[in-house]
Amino acid sequence: MEEKTSKQKAKRIPYGMMNFVAIREDDCYYVDKTRFIEKVEEANKFFFFIRPRRFGKSLTMSMLHHYYDINQKDQFEQLYGDLYIGKHPTPNHNKYLVLYLNFAVINADLGNYHNKMDAHCNTRFNSFCESYAALLPSGTRETLKTKNGCVEQLEYLYDVCDRAGLKIYLFIDEYDHFTNHILSDAARLDEYRGETHGTGYLRTFFDTIKAGTYSSLERVFITGVSPVTLDDLTSGFNIGTNYSLDYSFNEMVGFTETEVREMLSYYSQHHEFHHSIDELIEIMKPYYDNYCFAKKAYGETTMYNSNMVLSFLYKYIDNGCWIPDRMIDENIRVDYNKLRMLIRKDKEFRHDASIIQTLVSQGYVTGELKEGFPAENIAKDDNFVSLLYYFGLVTIGGFHRGKPKFTIPNEVVREQIYTYLLDNYHDNHLEADSYRLGQLEENMAYDGDFKPFFQYIADSIYTYASQRDRQKGEAFVHGYTLALTSQCSYYRPVSELDNQNGYADIFLCPRYEVFTDMEHSYIIELKYLKSQATEAEVAAAVNQAQAQVCRYAETLNVNDHIGHTTLHKVIVVYKGVVMVACEEVGNG
């Protein structure tokens, strides 16, 4: 085997980097996505593309930006020469004046949105004039300053370019930033509608883009995380095509497993990895993989979140090539806080009919996948499920009666969903003592003492239900139990529907790759009976649970999951909100 040496410097890991030029000039590892340039160029010239946050959209846009920028023709070989597109260039490379707008930097408050949007666009328009001064007519920038606001300025720029025989490629990143901020406050929906309908400022801006496509705006590429604004602005920009669900672009952002393996293989040649590539994939896959962005792609290639993979690899190498204690990038917390405001649109959360709660307890929800929907209809079931899908909080996990079956894609998202549940329980006075739970979890992991942990959950459920004076059902009991077990740092909880062969309701898969001295793992069969159940029905449920947990333990290839830990088969039975059984099933 070739000796690994620090003399051969590895490429920089481009974690958090979104500038394509910086990645190439700083000798960073780049997963080549340039083959998609051909597909984008063959598609409709006015291209909408929606993906979850931190999935590589901005880097993809930057890669396209510099490929088409007429000013960077001399850098083509340096930037793209060794990539797919450098060997297969399209006729339109470096043929456009590129105008780039990033709506994420615009203060989205309604009170000053006009001024902030004008300010951002004015900065970008002036930069455009400066960058292309040698090509634009003399005095273009000076005349631009006499135009009032971004609508007039944009109209002026595309008219000037048209008369000069120049073509513009317009990029807009996070076009829906305004929408996602405003919709967190339902009371402001009327104000939002005023901006996106009729003569609203945002609507008028997109009307102006549409008008520019009859002039020098030859191509437009727009990204975001939700289709809400797209629908509201449809008649203002109804020439755009939404390629978010298109099979051809399923792999344009994010990493395939092949790409992840190639990256791990590269870095293993420069660092003393303590794990094989297969071992690392087995550890990473449950946390970062399993996104599907096109119905036709289901069952073929799943996508890894690129930002999460890069974060893990950076921490792994920085940690001496040992698995980091935390598999979840802390920057996800920022995204979660943004998402939580929107998923509060699930107005029925406090009842057992909540989509979020059904998703957790049942393991999936079904619905029609919508390409777009107006903001006022965001809470309708199909629209809300679609919103979760575009945010990356659910993915296509199969089909049920002709409709997509939406499941939680991985453990990172599962923690976000469970944290959402716990936060809402907390808002409704069902609180958990994290310090006390931490002690109970430690006792489970090291002493095999599981009863106090499940008794704590049972006591919380009983007290909460009594205080609320409301009968709670199976979804509540199961959801809260799963949510609390998900917070345990020693285990990765796997629920039944995560495996078509049938796991127990909760398999507490030990994280022994981090906690190397932990001693105990668990399979939990959770049964729920209505409060009116008889003693005979309870006894039958206990017997059924005992048989099922033993069968599940035999079905699982436990040796691949529990390592050196002792596996405990545990049944938990509820009658209404009262736990009536919590016991271990012997091996005999």
Side-chain angles (χ1 to χ4, degrees):
M1 184 177 69
E2 182 180 348
E3 183 180 357
K4 300 180 181 72
T5 172
S6 59
K7 293 181 182 179
Q8 186 181 13
K9 186 178 180 181
K11 292 180 179 291
R12 180 190 295 271
I13 299 170
Y15 171 61
M17 298 180 68
M18 297 177 289
N19 186 318
F20 178 77
V21 172
I23 285 176
R24 300 294 284 163
E25 291 181 346
D26 291 352
D27 193 30
C28 297
Y29 190 99
Y30 176 68
V31 174
D32 190 357
K33 296 289 186 177
T34 61
R35 68 187 186 276
F36 288 97
I37 290 177
E38 294 174 331
K39 297 179 182 295
V40 172
E41 205 162 288
E42 293 167 359
N44 188 306
K45 291 185 176 182
F46 315 114
F47 195 104
F48 274 98
F49 191 64
I50 297 167
R51 283 294 184 269
R53 286 188 173 92
R54 302 186 185 277
F55 231 97
K57 297 189 303 296
S58 295
L59 176 57
T60 298
M61 182 174 284
S62 178
M63 177 264 289
L64 292 169
H65 171 171
H66 297 289
Y67 178 79
Y68 286 107
D69 191 345
I70 194 171
N71 277 349
Q72 296 197 292
K73 187 174 183 178
D74 293 342
Q75 286 79 46
F76 179 81
E77 185 62 29
Q78 175 190 351
L79 295 177
Y80 299 94
D82 61 337
L83 302 177
Y84 174 89
I85 202 65
K87 301 178 179 66
H88 309 86
T90 63
N92 289 328
H93 79 83
N94 302 117
K95 294 291 179 66
Y96 293 95
L97 279 63
V98 172
L99 178 58
Y100 170 78
L101 303 175
N102 183 3
F103 283 10
V105 303
I106 301 176
N107 187 318
D109 287 333
L110 278 170
N112 63 355
Y113 185 73
H114 294 195
N115 294 334
K116 294 297 183 181
M117 185 172 175
D118 282 344
H120 172 68
C121 290
N122 182 65
T123 299
R124 299 308 309 153
F125 293 162
N126 274 279
S127 178
F128 176 88
C129 291
E130 184 176 352
S131 295
Y132 302 110
L135 300 172
L136 293 170
S138 177
T140 297
R141 187 176 182 185
E142 288 69 25
T143 305
L144 177 74
K145 295 177 181 179
T146 68
K147 303 302 177 181
N148 184 27
C150 64
V151 171
E152 284 190 18
Q153 288 182 330
L154 177 61
E155 186 175 25
Y156 167 71
L157 283 180
Y158 70 64
D159 182 59
V160 165
C161 289
D162 185 49
R163 286 187 278 110
L166 302 169
K167 297 298 182 183
I168 298 175
Y169 201 138
L170 172 64
F171 293 93
I172 302 179
D173 202 1
E174 295 206 37
Y175 86 104
D176 53 349
H177 175 69
F178 168 77
T179 304
N180 296 336
H181 180 84
I182 297 303
L183 291 185
S184 64
D185 183 356
R188 306 180 75 179
L189 186 58
D190 287 341
E191 297 175 79
Y192 164 80
R193 190 180 294 109
E195 292 293 340
T196 57
H197 293 69
T199 59
Y201 204 57
L202 194 61
R203 172 65 168 272
T204 301
F205 183 76
F206 275 86
D207 280 337
T208 306
I209 294 175
K210 178 181 177 180
T213 63
Y214 294 96
S215 179
S216 61
L217 282 182
E218 185 160 294
R219 300 193 75 101
V220 180
F221 191 98
I222 300 176
T223 71
V225 298
S226 76
V228 177
T229 311
L230 173 61
D231 190 82
D232 285 332
L233 295 171
T234 293
S235 57
F237 188 66
N238 56 9
I239 58 174
T241 301
N242 185 355
Y243 287 98
S244 306
L245 306 179
D246 194 286
Y247 177 84
S248 299
F249 298 101
N250 180 56
E251 301 176 17
M252 186 161 72
V253 300
F255 296 154
T256 65
E257 184 165 312
T258 298
E259 290 167 338
V260 175
R261 284 182 176 274
E262 289 174 353
M263 186 187 306
L264 292 174
S265 178
Y266 169 81
Y267 283 100
S268 71
Q269 296 172 27
H270 295 80
H271 301 277
E272 293 289 346
F273 278 22
H274 297 297
H275 304 80
S276 68
I277 304 303
D278 285 344
E279 287 172 335
L280 288 174
I281 288 292
E282 185 177 359
I283 292 167
M284 297 167 67
K285 192 176 184 66
Y287 286 90
Y288 312 136
D289 189 23
N290 203 37
Y291 295 92
C292 176
F293 298 113
K295 288 189 287 186
K296 290 184 179 179
Y298 175 72
E300 296 182 9
T301 303
T302 56
M303 301 302 296
Y304 285 72
N305 181 300
S306 51
N307 188 81
M308 295 178 191
V309 169
L310 294 173
S311 173
F312 170 85
L313 183 57
Y314 177 84
K315 289 189 289 186
Y316 177 76
I317 293 174
D318 190 55
N319 198 37
C321 296
W322 294 106
I323 304 301
D325 291 344
R326 291 286 296 165
M327 293 290 291
I328 299 177
D329 181 6
E330 288 304 313
N331 287 323
I332 295 295
R333 306 289 184 192
V334 178
D335 295 335
Y336 163 72
N337 288 333
K338 295 177 181 177
L339 296 178
R340 184 180 180 223
M341 299 304 294
L342 277 176
I343 59 180
R344 280 180 174 171
K345 298 297 178 183
D346 185 13
K347 296 177 181 178
E348 298 301 313
F349 169 80
R350 297 176 186 177
H351 305 287
D352 289 337
S354 161
I355 290 174
I356 296 290
Q357 196 155 261
T358 300
L359 173 66
V360 169
S361 62
Q362 182 174 273
Y364 70 91
V365 292
T366 58
E368 294 288 349
L369 187 53
K370 301 293 186 180
E371 288 197 9
F373 42 86
E376 56 261 35
N377 294 334
I378 197 173
K380 290 186 176 180
D381 285 359
D382 282 339
N383 295 345
F384 184 73
V385 171
S386 296
L387 185 69
L388 296 179
Y389 172 80
Y390 287 113
F391 282 163
L393 295 175
V394 296
T395 192
I396 298 172
F399 296 90
H400 179 74
R401 295 186 175 182
K403 292 183 178 181
K405 188 158 71 170
F406 297 100
T407 59
I408 298 173
N410 52 49
E411 297 306 315
V412 170
V413 176
R414 191 179 307 280
E415 185 180 55
Q416 290 179 277
I417 293 288
Y418 288 167
T419 301
Y420 167 78
L421 279 179
L422 290 174
D423 284 349
N424 277 273
Y425 291 138
H426 175 81
D427 291 346
N428 289 278
H429 312 294
L430 175 52
E431 302 181 24
D433 183 338
S434 59
Y435 179 77
R436 174 62 178 152
L437 275 173
Q439 292 178 314
L440 298 177
E441 291 161 358
E442 181 180 325
N443 294 341
M444 285 179 65
Y446 288 93
D447 301 329
D449 188 10
F450 62 88
K451 287 188 178 180
F453 176 80
F454 289 99
Q455 188 63 56
Y456 180 95
I457 295 175
D459 291 344
S460 299
I461 289 173
Y462 180 81
T463 301
Y464 172 73
S466 298
Q467 289 175 342
R468 301 294 292 177
D469 192 28
R470 182 190 302 163
Q471 177 63 50
K472 288 293 181 181
E474 182 176 9
F476 168 70
V477 171
H478 197 175
Y480 187 65
T481 302
L482 275 170
L484 277 191
T485 55
S486 76
Q487 304 299 300
C488 181
S489 58
Y490 299 101
Y491 299 99
R492 178 172 64 87
V494 182
S495 60
E496 180 178 358
L497 288 171
D498 286 337
N499 187 308
Q500 292 181 354
N501 295 325
Y503 279 139
D505 272 348
I506 308 172
F507 171 40
L508 296 182
C509 184
R511 296 192 63 215
Y512 55 80
E513 70 275 5
V514 175
F515 302 98
T516 57
D517 59 341
M518 66 182 296
E519 300 181 20
H520 302 274
S521 55
Y522 300 87
I523 298 178
I524 315 296
E525 174 61 26
L526 179 62
K527 289 290 184 186
Y528 175 86
L529 299 170
K530 293 183 178 180
S531 57
Q532 298 86 1
T534 65
E535 291 185 9
E537 288 172 328
V538 171
V542 168
N543 290 334
Q544 185 183 39
Q546 290 173 338
Q548 287 177 334
V549 77
C550 291
R551 185 167 67 250
Y552 290 144
E554 293 172 358
T555 301
L556 285 170
N557 187 3
V558 293
N559 291 328
D560 289 342
H561 295 282
I562 66 173
H564 60 268
T565 63
T566 299
L567 179 68
H568 300 268
K569 295 168 287 187
V570 176
I571 67 165
V572 176
V573 180
Y574 276 83
K575 178 182 175 182
V577 293
V578 178
M579 186 174 71
V580 293
C582 180
E583 59 191 52
E584 184 171 1
V585 179
N587 295 319

